[in-house]
Amino acid sequence: TQLTTHLDRDSSPQWSPDGRHIAFRRRTDGVSDIWVMAADGSEQRRLTDNGGNNYDPRWSPDGSQIAFTTNVAGNYDIGVMGADGSDPRLLTTHPADDEYPTWSSDGAVLAFHTTRHGGVSLWLMRADGSEQSELTGLAPVGFPMFAPGAGG
């Protein structure tokens, strides 16, 4: 069943933990924002409107927050906001690109891609953006994912 009929591009859907909502990326006139809708496609509303490109939304395990990638500060960083779009803030502000956040099962840690050493590596940080540390050296990596039940 098709849930959106936007003329440009809708992508990167992710179900909320309770299965009642879907966060997704909507591209309009070359700019991407994070949107959310009810699971049946109704109640579509934009959560980000900061002038940057925002994509790859990821619900926190308790459904209270959404982490995402944004270039609102010029380069790509990891941002987080309330599930209703409230209190958006950057968790990373490094000059390199930080992208593709993934929550640990307990919501305490985020994994993400970064180009801090010139190539792609995986890093971890606390959910508040603190304690950023390298997990892998430079290597071809896929999208980060925690094993079910893995915590921070």
Side-chain angles (χ1 to χ4, degrees):
T1 301
Q2 183 172 342
L3 298 178
T4 65
T5 57
H6 184 64
L7 296 177
D8 201 337
R9 181 176 175 190
D10 292 340
S11 62
S12 305
Q14 189 179 43
W15 288 92
S16 63
D18 65 9
R20 296 177 48 214
H21 296 91
I22 301 169
F24 63 100
R25 170 190 186 176
R26 172 166 284 169
R27 183 175 169 200
T28 305
D29 297 326
V31 177
S32 295
D33 279 302
I34 306 298
W35 286 62
V36 69
M37 64 181 159
D40 65 2
S42 65
E43 303 174 35
Q44 295 182 19
R45 63 189 185 280
R46 182 169 49 190
L47 299 184
T48 59
D49 187 13
N50 56 21
N53 282 300
N54 306 279
Y55 61 93
D56 201 44
R58 294 291 177 254
W59 293 90
S60 62
D62 67 2
S64 68
Q65 298 182 87
I66 297 173
F68 59 100
T69 301
T70 182
N71 71 347
V72 68
N75 60 301
Y76 286 100
D77 290 305
I78 305 299
V80 68
M81 63 185 156
D84 61 358
S86 63
D87 193 27
R89 60 200 180 281
L90 293 177
L91 298 180
T92 64
T93 56
H94 194 277
D97 288 334
D98 299 330
E99 302 177 278
Y100 308 115
T102 299
W103 295 90
S104 62
S105 297
D106 65 1
V109 173
L110 287 158
F112 61 98
H113 277 198
T114 186
T115 59
R116 293 178 186 200
H117 297 303
V120 177
S121 59
L122 289 177
W123 280 50
L124 298 174
M125 67 179 156
R126 305 299 299 171
D128 64 2
S130 66
E131 299 181 40
Q132 296 178 19
S133 62
E134 187 172 14
L135 181 64
T136 67
L138 297 180
V141 293
F143 291 99
M145 181 179 292
F146 284 91

